[in-house]
Amino acid sequence: MLAGHLDRLDELSVNTSNEDSGSQSKSNIDSSLSDSNATGSSPKDSAEAEIIASKVSKQVFWLKMAVLLVLVLAAVLVATAVYLSTQRSEQNAFESAFQDDVVKVYDTFKFSVERKLGAIDSLSIAITSLAVDSQATWPNFTVPDFEFRASSIRELADAASVVLSPLVSDAERAGWEAYSVENAEWVEDAAEFLTGRRKLETEQVNGISKDIFEFKDGVDRTVDQSGEPYLPMWQSYPAIAGLVNFNMFSNSNFHDGIEAMLESEDAVFGKIWEIGGTDTALTEFFDVWELDGVFHREDPASKLFYPFDSLQDGHKLVGALTAVINWETYFQEILPPHATGVIVVLENDCGQGYTYSVDGEEAHLVGEGDQHDSKYDYLSESISFSDLINPADRRIERFARVDVNHEYCPYHLHVYPSQDLEDDFVTNNAVIYTVCVIVIFAFTGLIFLAYDYTVETRQKRVMKRAVQSRAIVSSLFPAAVRDRLFRNDDSTASKGKNNKQANKSRIKSFLNDANQEQRPAPELRPIADLFPHTTVMFADIAGFTRWSSERDPAHVFTLLQTVYHAFDRIAKKRGVFKVETIGDCYVAVTGLPDPQADHAIRMAKFANECMKKMNDLVMMLKDSLGEDTAELCMRFGLHSGPVTAGVLRGEKSRFQLFGNTVNTAARMEHTGKRNKIQVSQETADLITDAGKGHWIFQRIDDIASRGGIQTYWVEPQSNAQEAKLKNAAPTRVAAKPGAPVDNSQRLIDWNVDILKRLLKRIVARRIDENTKSDPGAHFSLISEDGVTVRDEITSRINMPKYDKAKAKTDPQTIHLGEEVENQLREYVTMIEAMYHSNPFHSFKHASNVCTSANKMLNSIVDEDLFQRVSDPLTQFAVVFSALIHDLDHQGLTNMLLIKEKPHIAALYRNKSVAEQNSVDLAWNLLMDPEFEALQDTIFANNTDFLRFRKVVVNVVMATDIFDKELNGERNTRWLLAFDPSSRTVPMAPEEESEMRATIIIEHVMQIADVMHTMQHFHSYQRWNERLFEEMYNAFKSGKSTKDPSADWYEGEIWFFDNCVIPLAQRIKDVGIFGVQGDDCLKNAISNKKEWAVKGSSIVQQQIEKFVTTVDESVEGAIVSEVKKQEQKIQEAEKEKKQDPDKHLIEWNVDLFKRMLRQILAHRLAEGIETKESMLSLATTIKEGSMVRDEISRIIDFPVFDKKAAKLKVDPDTIELSKAVQDQLRDYVSFIASMYRDNPFHNFKHASNVSMAANKYMQRIIDDTLAQQMSHPLAQFAVIFAALMHDVDHTGVSNAQLVKEQKRIAVVYNNKSVAEQNSTDLAWSVLMDAEYKDLQVAIYGNAAEFERFRKLVVNAVMATDLFDEDLIADRNERWQAAFNEDHRDPSMSDKELENLRATIVMEHIMQASDIGHTMQHFHSYKRWNERLYCEVYASYEDGRLEEDPSKDWYEGEIKFFDQFVIPLAKKLNECGRFGNAGEDAFTSAQANRKEWVVKGVAIVSEFKKRYAEQKESEKKSS
C-alpha cells in the first residue's frame, strides 16, 4: 500500500517539478503552489504522512547501518590486500633486478680482467718472439718500437703505465748497466708521445742512471747494493728516463708482489697501491701518468706483475711486464646507460678495501673501506678472484699460458644494491593504491549517504508535494476528483457496487491512478456528465502570432506565464474553473462542477477583469519585451448553455468540455475584436435577466461574417457606475469605438528607456574602472575638407572587453540626473520628428531594428566577441545607430535620391546618400550645445568620443547593402577576420579579435535591418507590404518611373537569393550566434519558399489594396499618370523595334560618359593644360600613311592609382558640359548607323566586345599592369576601339575582299582591309570639327592625342586574327614581355612594363572579339549561328563558291585549336587576369569538347533554321 501510495505521489511531484524547470516561470509556479497549498491541505493529510514516514525511517536506518558496516569491513580487507600484494610485487622486482645486475657485474669484471691479462700477455709474447728472432741474449735486449706496441696494449688494458723490466743477476749486472747506457736512444724515439704534456725538467727525472739504483730513504737515488736478483726498469710507456735502471725489487711497494711472481712464475695482482701516500721521490714520475689523463693520484690502483720467459733454455724466466691499472676501469660499462646501479666493495686479504658505485656505464669511487648500506646485507653477493678467474672458465686465451697467482694477497668482490636501485622499483604505489581503494570505498559510502539523503529528501518532498498536488489537481479537475488521487483503486473489488453509481458521482470520485495503463481496458469506465447551466469563455491574445515570431522563446513564455498566472488568480477569486490553455488561448467555465446560478454574470466580470489586467501587464512588460508588446491585448468570447464534461484518460489525464456551447464560445472569440468581450444571444439574455442589461451593447456590423448570429458586446460596470445605473433599462445599442493610441509617444518612451538603461551601464563601468571624466571638454571631429562620412569607415575599431559578471556597480543604482534624462528624451523626440511618415522607413522600423540588433548582440556565444560587444558604450552606439540609420529617409532608394535630390547626392559624391545624410543629421543634432549634459554622459573623454563615432559610422554605413564597393570591402574584412589562410600578413591576436568584433557589429546591423525577412512569414509579409506601399507611393508621385508591381514578385526572390539567404548563411556558418544564426537561416529559406508559392497572389492583393482602392479624387490623376507611363513604355517599345540599337547606343554613351569624367578628373588633378584645337595635328598624322603602318611595338602607359586619384578629384563630381554630352551621343549614334545589318558583325557585337574588354581590364590582378590599364585615357581608347572595330564591315572576310579585288582592298595593300577601313572611317568622323568639344574632352594636348591614336590603332589591328605577319609580331612581343629567355637585355624596367601593357591590351581586344567562344556554350552557339548565317548569306549571294555548311563543323574545331584555346591559354598562364584567365581557358576547352559531340547536329540545325527563316521572309514579303 505504501509503495503504491508513494508512486502516485511521486508521479504528481515529478509532473509538478517539470514545471519548475523554466527559470523565469519558477517563481510564478511556486507561488501558485503556495496559494493552493494554503487552501487545499489539511491536518489529517499531514498526520498520515508523518505516520508513514516514521515507519519507513526505522527500517531504512538499520538497513543503512548494516550497509555502512559492510562497506567499512570491505574497505579494510581490500586495502590491506592491495597494500601487501603491491609491496611484495615491487620487492620481488627489486631483488630480481639486483640479481640480474650481480650477474652483469661478475661477468663484466671477469671479462675486463681477462681482457687486460690478454693484452699484457700478447705484449710479452711479442717481446720474447722479437728477442728470439734477433738472437738477442737477455737481459741485453731492447724492444724496437716499444712505444708503439706498449701504447696500444696500454689502451687495451686501461693501464696508466706499462714497464718492461729484465731479470738481471749479479753476473749480468755490469754488462747490463753498460748496455742500458749505450742503448738509451729508445727514450728519444718515445719522447714524441709526450708531446703536449708538461715537461719534467729535473735531472733526476730526465737523466738516465748508469747504475742499477734504489731510492735511499725514499728520496735520494743510490746504487743498489742489495744483491741479486735485480729487476731494473728498462723500457716504459709513457717513457720516463729517470726511472731507467730503478730496481723495483728493492722497493717496498713492489718487492712482495715481485717476489710472489718469481716464486710462482704466475701473474700477480699486487696490493692496492696508495699512490697519494707513496715515496716523495716517485711523486714526480707519477705526474706523467696523471697528465696523460688516464690516472689520478687519488684513484686506487694495483701493479700487475706479468712474467715472461725466453722461449729457450727450458723456458727460463727472463723478465716481467708491470702494468699499473686503476681499479675503477674494471667496473665501467657494466650496466645499460641511465640505469641506476649497485655498490661494489673490492677487498683483499692484506687488509685493503675500497667501495665503488656502479651507475649505468660509469663507475665512481665512493671511498676507502666497506661503505655499503648495512640494510642491504641480506642481499649481499660475494665472490673471490680464484672463483671468478680460473683457467677452466677462461674466455680469452693467453699464449704464454700464464695463470693468476691466487695465493698472494687474494682479492674478493662484494656486491650490494644501491638506494637508487631500490627507489626505481620500490615506490609509493602500494600506499597510493591503498589510499585509492580507501577513497573509492569512502566515495562509495558518501554516494550511499548522498543517495540516502536524496531518498530521504525525496520522501519528504513527496509528502510535501502531496498536499500541494491537491491544489494543482484542483485547478485541472473538479474539487472532488482529487479525493481519490491518493487512495488505492478499489474499483475492481467494488465493481458490483459501483455499477449503479451516477455519472456525476463518478466524476467527483475520479482517480487518475499511476498504474491505470496497466489495468485491462474493460475496467476503465468513462467518467462524464452533462452540466445544463454553464458559461464557457475563450480568450485569445490579439497580435500574438506576429509578436511571438519576432521574439526569443524565453520572452514568449515570460509573457504567457505572467498573463495567465494573473488570470489564474482572478479565476480563483471569482470562483471560475480554468479548463486549460492552448498556446495563447485561455479556456474557462462557470457552472461546474458545482452549479452556479450567476454563472453568466460571474464569467462576464471575470473576462472584464482579465482584459484590464492584460492591458496593465503589457504596459509593464514593454520595457523588457519590446515596445510593441504594448500593442497586445485580449479578445474574449462567451456563450452559455449545456456542456458535457468528462475526464479523458491516458498517459496524462485531462478534464475536457464538449458540446456546441464550447464551439460557439470559440466562434465568439474568433469573430471578436481587440479589447472587447463578445457574447452570444443566450449569454446576453442571462445577463439581462440578472438585472445587468445596461452592460449589453448590440453589435451592428456585418452579421454574415459571424455566420448570421446576432452578438453583443458586454461592458461590466464598476460599483459606482452600478449605483447610477441601478434602475436603467437594457440599452442594446452599438458599442462605442475605443480611444486612439498614441503610438509615436509609446515608441519614444520605449527607446528612451532602452538608451537610459545603457547609459546607466556606461556610468557604472566608469565607476568600476575609475575612469576620469572631462565634463568641460569640447568634443568635435577634425576632418579634412571634402571628407565624407563614408570616408571614415575603418576596418578595425578598438573595442575593449567587458565582463558583466565581474561588474561591481549595479547599473540600477545609478541616477543619471534629471537634466540628462530630459535631454535624452528631448533628443529621441526630435529624432522621431525627423523621420518621415513612410510606410516602411519610419521611426517604427528604426525601433524594430533596435530590438533586433540588441537581440543579436545578446545571442553571441563566442566569449571573446561577446565581451567586446557587451561593452556599454559599444552597445549604446549600436542601438543609437539603429535608431538613427534611416533618419530623414525620403522613401526613395539611393539611385532615385541621386536624381531627386542632386544637391544632397553631390555632397556625398553620389554614394550611400541616405545613410550618410542620416549620420550627419543625427550627429549634428547630438553635438548641439543643447545636449551637452547628454554628451558628457555618453563619452567621458576624447577616446570614448572617437570610438563612439567610429562605431556609429561603420554600423550605419553597413545598412547600404547594395553598394558593391562597400560590400566588397566588407567581404574582404570578413575573410581576414575569420579565414587566416586569406591573410598575406600575420595578424596579432588582439588585432584579429578587434577586426572580428568590428565586422560582426556591422553584420548585426545588416541582419537587424532586414530581420523581417528572417522572422515568421506573417511578420515578413506585413513589412513587405509596407515597403511595397512606400515604393508604390514613389511611383505614384512621379519620383520613380518604375511600377514596383511589375517585378515585385521576382525582385523579392532575387533579394532572398542574393542578399538575405547569403547573409543568414554567413552568420550561421561562422557559428558565433548559436541557435539564433540557425533560426535566421531557417526562417529566411522558409520565407523564400513560401513567397515563391504565395508571392504572386500576395502581390496581386497589394496591387488591389494600393492601386484600385485609392480615393476617387486621386484615382483620376493616378490613372492619367499610369496611362502616360504606359504610353511612354509603348512608344519606347515601338521605337526600340524601329531602332533596335537605341538602347545599345544609350548604354555605350553612359559608359563613355563615366570614362570622360575620369579623364577630366585626372587631368584636373594633375594640372594638365588643355588645348582647344587638334585639327592640324590630326591632318598631319593622317597624311601619307596607312593605319597598319602606325602599329607601335611599345606604347607608353602611365601608372594611374584610381583610389588615390579619387581622393584628389572624385570623377562623380565632374559634370560634363551639354555640348560634350550631345556630341558624344551624336558620335555614338553615327557609329551605330555606319554598321551594316549583318547577323554577326553588327553594332550589338561591337557593344558586346566593349563590355568584354571593360570586364577584362577590371579583372587584372597584377598591381603595376592594373594601374597602367586603369588610366582613364587608356580605358577610353580600348572601349572606343572595341565599339568601332567592325564599322562598315561587309560581312565577308579580308581574304574574300582581296579575292574580289575590291577597291578598298587595293587602297590598303590587301592587308587588314576591314580593320584599317573601320579605323579610318571612325577616326575621320571623330576628327570632324562638329565634334570639337568632344575631342578636347578626350585628349587635352598633343601628347595625349598621339597616345590615344596609338592605342586605338594597336587595339583595332589586333582584331585581325588571320594575318600571319601580325600574328608573328604579336607572338614575338608576347615572348619578349613574359619569357625571360626572349627578353632584350638592353630593355629597361619601364620599357618592359610598357611592352607588357601594350601586348596585354592587344590580347584583351582579341579575347573580347571572340569572347563568345570563351563563354557558356549557349552563348557560343547563339553567336556561332549568327556568324554562320552571315557567311551562308554571302554564299547565297554568290560571293562564296562553296557551301560553308560542308566544313563548318571541322572549321570550328580548327578555329578552337589554332586560335581560341592558344589565346585563352596565354591569358591563363600569364597570371595577370586571375580567375578571368582560368575561366576563359576552361570555357574554351569545354565548348570545344561539346562542339565535337554536338557540332554536326548543330550545323544541320543552323542550316534548317536559316532556310525556314528565309522562307518566312518570302511569305511575309
Side-chain angles (χ1 to χ4, degrees), residues 81 174 305 364 440 557 608 668 709 800 908 1089 1265 1323 1349 1434:
F305 303 104
H364 305 284
I440 291 172
F557 275 81
N608 185 60
M668 290 295 100
I709 301 174
Y908 301 114
K1089 290 180 179 178
L1265 187 59
W1323 191 264
R1349 171 71 181 185
S1434 299

Side-chain angles (χ1 to χ4, degrees), residues 185-377:
E185 64 271 8
W186 68 268
V187 177
E188 295 178 1
D189 296 337
E192 63 184 52
F193 282 83
L194 296 176
T195 302
R197 302 182 178 90
R198 179 170 61 87
K199 295 181 179 180
L200 304 176
E201 301 294 345
T202 64
E203 180 183 354
Q204 179 172 282
V205 174
N206 291 323
I208 298 177
S209 175
K210 62 182 180 179
D211 301 312
I212 297 175
F213 69 92
E214 64 176 342
F215 288 106
K216 186 178 182 181
D217 298 327
V219 177
D220 298 328
R221 187 164 60 178
T222 60
V223 178
D224 189 349
Q225 302 295 336
S226 61
E228 65 180 11
Y230 303 100
L231 197 65
M233 294 179 64
W234 175 223
Q235 290 178 286
S236 65
Y237 184 81
I240 304 175
L243 288 179
V244 173
N245 282 333
F246 167 61
N247 184 16
M248 293 190 295
F249 191 70
S250 64
N251 187 277
S252 60
N253 288 311
F254 299 91
H255 181 272
D256 294 342
I258 295 173
E259 186 177 30
M261 178 193 71
L262 294 175
E263 291 178 356
S264 64
E265 297 186 359
D266 290 330
V268 174
F269 282 96
K271 297 179 182 179
I272 296 176
W273 192 10
E274 300 173 354
I275 297 176
T278 191
D279 299 315
T280 56
L282 297 176
T283 301
E284 287 190 279
F285 298 110
F286 301 143
D287 288 345
V288 177
W289 304 344
E290 189 169 31
L291 291 172
D292 199 40
V294 180
F295 192 77
H296 298 283
R297 294 176 189 271
E298 297 80 7
D299 295 340
S302 285
K303 291 84 64 177
L304 173 61
F305 303 104
Y306 201 92
F308 61 87
D309 57 32
S310 63
L311 299 180
Q312 297 174 351
D313 301 331
H315 295 281
K316 176 184 176 182
L317 190 67
V318 296
L321 289 172
T322 303
V324 179
I325 302 176
N326 185 353
W327 279 107
E328 187 175 291
T329 62
Y330 290 89
F331 305 114
Q332 292 178 342
E333 298 182 356
I334 290 180
L335 300 180
H338 310 297
T340 54
V342 295
I343 301 298
V344 178
V345 178
L346 176 69
E347 292 181 340
N348 58 30
D349 290 351
C350 299
Q352 296 175 307
Y354 285 89
T355 303
Y356 290 89
S357 173
V358 181
D359 294 305
E361 296 180 342
E362 300 296 328
H364 305 284
L365 177 66
V366 176
E368 186 176 0
D370 187 349
Q371 297 189 22
H372 81 277
D373 193 338
S374 60
K375 72 177 183 179
Y376 298 116
D377 287 347

Side-chain angles (χ1 to χ4, degrees), residues 526-539:
I527 302 175
D529 191 21
L530 177 65
F531 295 86
H533 305 294
T534 63
T535 298
V536 180
M537 181 201 78
F538 275 74

